[in-house]
Amino acid sequence: MSTYTVVNPATAQPVAEVHLASVAETDAAIERAHEAFGTWRDVAPGERAALLRRYAAVVDAHVEELAELEVRNAGHTWGNARWEAGNVRDCLNYYSAAPERMFGRQIPVAGGTDVTFHEPLGVVGIIVPWTFPMPIAAWGLAPALAAGNTVVLKPAELTPLTAVRLGELALEAGIPEGVLTVLPGAGHVVGERFVTHPLVRKVCFTGSTAVGKKVMAGCAEQVKRVTLELGGKSSNIVFADADLDLAAASAPYAVFDNAGQDCCARSRILVERSAYDEFLAKLEPAVRAMRVLDPTDESSEMGPLISRKQQGVVQGYLDEVDVAFAGTTPGGDGFWVPPSVVTVDDPAARIWREEVFGPVVAVMPFDSEAEAVERANDTDYGLSGSIFTRDLGRGLRVARGVQSGNLSVNSHSAVRYWTPFGGYKQSGLGRELGPDAPMAFTEEKNVFISH
């Protein structure tokens, strides 16, 4: 029997042993999900909606429990963990409205009537990363279940505890056996089987771009649907006319949230040269003031990195450069790296181009609006970004010019469950969330009826 020791990243101490599914166990779970699909897709829309609302209510009753698990398992702050558990509830409530609104169309044709239907795909495999284990699970499972599919879900090996609990809570809420199955396991075992098993008709993958390319290639073998949410190297563009106090005070939270382990992190700051020195002078106290504490302290604003390996990767980037200024950490045995700021002149620098995935931000000056857009677009990624300016015409113009799926003007907001989320270029394929998400888990059928 294969197991994995879950470790608290703030203390490096073990917290649980989790069974890892084998290929045979994965196949059996997929087959059970396929059997359950035949019944779940035929559940009346109103009844399916009521079950999802009941699931949301059960999750709501367990928000504190789920948050505590994430604080221990992923090193998330209490504030983040409560929001994440609440986001699961909110996604379930939002998509509970979908079953009764899966509208087709009547299209005018000669000689009869033409109508369309949205029909569920079957078994959906969802592969969740360790970055935000609860919300990303919900972004896939809620619309997939609402559309009438069954779900097999693989949490990351490092962070399986909340996913396992969400699977248990689904059963408590009355979701039938086999409709949602959580399968902790290795990526090359469970995740790969989602890709290769013919009964899995769609794979949703969130993770690195390198692995995402392999998932996409594997799905191509069976012409299998795939949604990919991958990496990012997003820019925070600050113009000289911006509210520099707001821009500097908010910038740390746009990149150091979740210790920088966020594909939406604004890990590059582009500052108009005439405001560059003033912005850095205001940014430094904001960075130093960040409360980097053990996540069990409710006042903590940033926790540790997820693993010793990730800590080493991030430190490797910092060892190559001079750090302009940094915050502090509580030290100890946890996987800590302080929030760090580096200044960059060379757009070819590794720390400017590559996704560090840690609490590190690089700052570079620019001289014109056109140069800012060019620098922001000079990346293989295109997931998120921010623009700070008092000129809202410029804000909209730059937002249209930056090749990115999610942009904010005078804000760092990137994700709302009722608006679409996804990336350009190598940041991904397809969109999650928003009102149209359930349609991505359906086939559109066209029926012509001769008069």
Side-chain angles (χ1 to χ4, degrees):
M1 180 181 292
S2 178
T3 63
Y4 180 81
T5 302
V6 175
V7 172
N8 182 335
T11 64
Q13 295 301 307
V15 297
E17 289 285 328
V18 175
H19 172 69
L20 300 180
S22 66
V23 172
E25 289 168 321
T26 304
D27 284 354
I30 291 169
E31 287 158 14
R32 286 194 299 272
H34 178 67
E35 291 172 8
F37 171 63
T39 303
W40 180 246
R41 68 181 172 189
D42 292 333
V43 171
E47 186 178 342
R48 196 186 309 141
L51 282 168
L52 291 174
R53 287 193 292 272
R54 196 176 308 154
Y55 188 11
V58 172
V59 170
D60 188 48
H62 291 81
V63 162
E64 286 294 303
E65 176 197 348
L66 290 164
E68 192 275 335
L69 279 175
E70 211 67 286
V71 170
R72 281 193 295 129
N73 188 174
H76 289 191
T77 63
W78 266 103
N80 277 12
R82 287 192 180 105
W83 178 89
E84 290 157 22
N87 188 254
V88 177
R89 171 203 61 218
D90 294 343
C91 283
L92 288 165
N93 272 325
Y94 180 71
Y95 289 111
S96 73
E100 295 161 295
R101 293 168 175 80
M102 300 290 289
F103 303 130
R105 294 181 294 176
Q106 184 270 313
I107 302 172
V109 294
T113 300
D114 196 275
V115 292
T116 64
F117 301 91
H118 288 279
E119 298 185 348
L121 301 171
V123 180
V124 173
I126 299 175
I127 303 172
V128 178
W130 47 259
T131 50
F132 296 97
M134 285 190 283
I136 293 174
W139 300 353
L141 73 87
L145 294 178
N149 303 276
T150 55
V151 169
V152 287
L153 185 147
K154 190 200 90 66
E157 293 97 311
L158 293 169
T159 55
L161 299 186
T162 48
V164 170
R165 189 67 183 119
L166 287 172
E168 295 168 349
L169 295 178
L171 293 174
E172 287 185 28
I175 302 293
E177 290 269 2
V179 171
L180 172 61
T181 306
V182 177
L183 284 169
H188 68 274
V189 177
V190 179
E192 186 172 322
R193 196 64 182 123
F194 287 2
V195 172
T196 60
H197 199 296
L199 290 180
V200 176
R201 294 312 310 145
K202 178 171 182 175
V203 173
C204 298
F205 172 81
T206 302
S208 73
T209 296
V211 176
K213 290 176 181 179
K214 294 179 181 178
V215 170
M216 187 175 179
C219 287
E221 291 293 319
Q222 298 173 20
V223 196
K224 183 178 297 190
R225 301 279 193 96
V226 62
T227 295
L228 302 174
E229 297 292 352
L230 307 176
K233 190 67 176 175
S234 301
S235 293
N236 175 10
I237 305 172
V238 181
F239 287 93
D241 71 336
D243 180 338
L244 293 184
D245 289 324
L246 171 64
S250 63
Y253 300 94
V255 65
F256 301 142
D257 183 58
N258 201 31
Q261 300 166 125
D262 180 356
C263 51
C264 288
R266 278 67 163 174
S267 56
R268 304 195 294 181
I269 305 178
L270 287 156
V271 187
E272 193 164 5
R273 194 176 299 276
S274 61
Y276 181 78
D277 290 339
E278 183 182 356
F279 177 82
L280 283 177
K282 293 177 182 292
L283 179 64
E284 182 170 359
V287 170
R288 294 191 186 280
M290 281 205 76
R291 296 179 61 83
V292 184
L293 304 168
D294 188 301
T296 56
D297 186 326
E298 294 225 13
S299 68
S300 177
E301 294 179 311
M302 189 188 106
L305 293 167
I306 190 64
S307 66
R308 186 79 66 196
K309 177 182 177 183
Q310 189 62 21
Q311 181 189 38
V313 168
V314 175
Q315 192 59 53
Y317 281 96
L318 290 173
D319 290 344
E320 296 177 358
V321 296
D322 294 325
V323 175
F325 48 87
T328 60
T329 73
D333 294 329
F335 312 133
W336 300 96
V337 170
S340 304
V341 177
V342 302
T343 56
V344 180
D345 294 318
D346 180 9
R350 196 167 82 96
I351 205 163
W352 181 257
R353 302 205 66 81
E354 297 181 11
E355 187 176 33
V356 176
F357 226 61
V360 179
V361 66
V363 188
M364 180 184 290
F366 68 87
D367 292 302
S368 68
E369 180 180 312
E371 184 187 359
V373 172
E374 180 183 0
R375 289 270 186 255
N377 288 339
D378 183 20
T379 171
D380 291 333
Y381 300 110
L383 186 58
S384 196
S386 301
I387 301 124
F388 278 77
T389 177
R390 285 190 169 93
D391 182 342
L392 294 186
R394 171 192 278 158
L396 183 58
R397 191 167 59 244
V398 172
R400 294 301 302 272
V402 173
Q403 298 162 359
S404 183
N406 309 272
L407 290 157
S408 301
V409 178
N410 297 325
S411 165
H412 298 296
S413 175
V415 180
R416 297 176 182 84
Y417 56 82
W418 60 96
T419 59
F421 175 76
Y424 282 33
K425 299 187 280 189
Q426 293 191 36
S427 282
L429 187 69
R431 292 294 180 269
E432 294 184 310
L433 300 175
D436 298 327
M439 300 305 185
F441 295 95
T442 66
E443 294 281 9
E444 188 172 24
K445 177 176 285 183
N446 188 74
V447 177
F448 171 73
I449 304 163
S450 177
H451 288 173

